[in-house]
Amino acid sequence: MQSVSYVRCVKRLWGLAQASRLQRSICQLQHKKVLSVDTLVSSFKSPGPCVLLPSDLVMEDKPWALISEVGEQDYLEEFTDIIKQHFQIIYFKDFLQNPQLHGPKIQAILVWAVSTIVQPQLLSLLPSLKVVANGGVGIDHLDVPYISSLGVKVTNTPGVVSDATADMAMGLLLASARKIVEGHQIAVVPNSTHMTRRLMGEEVTGSTMGIIGMGDIGCKIAKRGKGFDMKILYHNRNKRSIEDEQAVGASYCENMDELLKESDFVVLAVNLTPETTGLISHRELALMKPTATLVNISRGLVVDQDALVKALQSGTIHAAALDVTYPEPLPRDHPLLGLPNVVITPHYGTNTYTTTTKLVQRMVENAVAAVNGQSVPNEVKPK
């Protein structure tokens, strides 16, 4: 039994430090006769909890990182393991218990795109902070000029989330067009005795998709639409190259109104900026076909939600499929939640294990580079 207890404790100890560092520490202490092997073993004997080695044995020198919480609403434990390979972690909740103690040692903040914890009040408590590493492309929740003025770098993760987000856009489009959610509800009703054929959807193949925002995500959405033989229109601040357009079969609309008038599905894939806030409102919705569907995988504030509710209720447009809203989540009595022609998902366009693993790895790479004074791969400069 003692040997079992010993093995368990060794595993716990080795999870706290790199193996090579631990071995060196043990050898050094034994050589100095500070700690004998017998003493080491006796510290693990049952009964009683495992006793960890003295603090001078585990010479942990990883920098400290502040993250939000682990659990259903934030980081999953398996993803924090990636962070722990390079940083000692303190969770925001624990930090708040004693900010004066923890603040001076924190050199990095790792934050999801939807988090709003990076505020001036917090930053004033972190004199050693070197980087705010954001998970995701959008940095509208971060005051980049202010953070940069403190000598702190801001980073994001371009390209990492593009495929998963494009998949989500296409998934929402298909779910809305083919009434997949409604069909599921009919299929699982306990008292169903037959499958109705009266639930009619919209044809996706051969339809026209208009993409507003033709960055990396927009191009990948277009590529997926091409696979459905869709006609692809796009509006962007800048026209893409001929090669880019030909690769996905897309045609440029210099005027966004033209795209709105011709599209069966309008997909929003823009960053949230002052120029794109409220980009789609009463006037724009009125230009769309009464049979058209609005798909939003960008940010909730890109759409005037009051105008969207009226357009959906009045039949100005046919439907909406949204992975983002404002706020998130919507109040439980918000009218969008009760409309039969709306599909809403909880801002999880990037939520796959593959993409999230890559995203956290990129966040860590950026943070490590900044902490070590190296060139930062994905630094966001203030405009």
Side-chain angles (χ1 to χ4, degrees):
M1 292 299 293
Q2 291 179 353
S3 62
V4 172
S5 175
Y6 170 76
V7 170
R8 288 175 178 169
C9 291
V10 167
K11 287 183 177 179
R12 186 186 306 175
L13 178 62
W14 281 55
L16 294 173
Q18 296 176 358
S20 60
R21 185 181 301 135
L22 178 61
Q23 289 173 324
R24 288 196 303 271
S25 299
I26 292 173
C27 292
Q28 290 167 358
L29 288 170
Q30 285 182 321
H31 179 72
K32 296 177 182 179
K33 297 183 180 180
V34 174
L35 185 67
S36 68
V37 174
D38 290 339
T39 304
L40 175 63
V41 173
S42 66
S43 69
F44 297 116
K45 287 183 178 179
S46 297
C50 172
V51 179
L52 295 179
L53 296 177
S55 59
D56 59 352
L57 178 60
V58 183
M59 301 170 63
E60 185 60 83
D61 59 357
K62 295 177 185 175
W64 283 84
L66 175 66
I67 69 172
S68 40
E69 303 306 319
V70 171
E72 292 183 359
Q73 297 183 12
D74 219 306
Y75 293 87
L76 296 177
E77 188 65 44
E78 53 263 49
F79 300 123
T80 64
D81 289 342
I82 300 172
I83 304 172
K84 289 177 182 177
Q85 293 174 23
H86 301 275
F87 289 96
Q88 298 183 74
I89 289 176
I90 183 166
Y91 300 116
F92 187 60
K93 176 181 66 177
D94 298 327
F95 169 83
L96 292 177
Q97 298 299 316
N98 196 338
Q100 288 74 27
L101 172 64
H102 302 304
K105 60 190 176 186
I106 291 170
Q107 297 186 55
I109 300 177
L110 276 66
V111 59
W112 290 126
V114 295
S115 176
T116 57
I117 68 170
V118 186
Q119 300 296 328
Q121 298 92 325
L122 171 64
L123 296 172
S124 67
L125 300 172
L126 309 177
S128 302
L129 186 66
K130 295 182 179 179
V131 61
V132 176
N134 183 63
V137 180
I139 40 83
D140 50 273
H141 56 295
L142 298 173
D143 188 341
V144 177
Y146 176 72
I147 297 171
S148 299
S149 73
L150 302 176
V152 176
K153 296 184 183 299
V154 177
T155 70
N156 64 352
T157 59
V160 175
V161 302
S162 299
D163 279 315
T165 306
D167 288 348
M168 190 67 185
M170 206 65 200
L172 283 168
L173 188 155
L174 289 165
S176 179
R178 297 308 308 273
K179 301 190 181 299
I180 291 174
V181 176
E182 297 94 320
H184 169 77
Q185 292 169 342
I186 291 171
V188 301
V189 170
N191 59 356
S192 287
T193 58
H194 68 281
M195 295 293 106
T196 180
R197 295 291 180 265
R198 298 181 61 84
L199 189 65
M200 293 290 126
E202 303 297 320
E203 194 80 11
V204 173
T205 299
S207 63
T208 298
M209 176 165 62
I211 303 170
I212 300 176
M214 199 66 161
D216 192 46
I217 293 174
C219 285
K220 289 183 179 293
I221 294 170
K223 184 176 181 180
R224 284 151 177 76
K226 182 181 179 183
F228 282 83
D229 294 326
M230 300 178 84
K231 178 182 178 181
I232 310 296
L233 306 177
Y234 78 96
H235 174 75
N236 201 45
R237 286 179 301 177
N238 301 304
K239 188 177 185 296
R240 300 294 301 236
S241 68
I242 297 298
E243 293 77 15
D244 287 345
E245 292 181 345
Q246 290 177 344
V248 296
S251 300
Y252 181 58
C253 292
E254 186 173 357
N255 189 325
M256 190 177 74
D257 290 359
E258 177 187 350
L259 179 148
L260 293 170
K261 292 174 182 178
E262 294 189 24
S263 299
D264 298 303
F265 300 93
V266 174
V267 183
L268 304 177
V270 297
N271 291 326
L272 181 63
T273 65
E275 292 73 30
T276 61
T277 299
L279 180 68
I280 303 298
S281 191
H282 295 281
R283 189 189 77 85
E284 291 74 26
L285 291 164
L287 292 173
M288 293 172 61
K289 297 178 180 180
T291 55
T293 297
L294 180 70
V295 181
N296 188 9
I297 49 89
S298 56
R299 286 290 190 268
L301 283 171
V302 172
V303 177
D304 178 341
Q305 287 183 167
D306 291 338
L308 179 61
V309 168
K310 291 181 180 179
L312 291 165
Q313 289 174 334
S314 66
T316 301
I317 66 172
H318 176 65
L322 314 170
D323 187 44
V324 289
T325 60
Y326 185 81
E328 293 173 348
L330 288 171
R332 296 299 85 185
D333 61 349
H334 195 282
L336 275 176
L337 300 180
L339 294 176
N341 51 347
V342 177
V343 175
I344 300 179
T345 50
H347 199 157
Y348 71 170
T350 64
N351 280 33
T352 70
Y353 277 98
T354 298
T355 290
T356 305
T357 298
K358 292 178 181 178
L359 183 147
V360 175
Q361 289 172 338
R362 181 71 65 83
M363 292 169 69
V364 169
E365 289 171 6
N366 286 325
V368 168
V371 167
N372 292 334
Q374 300 168 345
S375 176
V376 180
N378 302 120
E379 182 177 359
V380 179
K381 300 284 189 179
K383 295 181 179 179

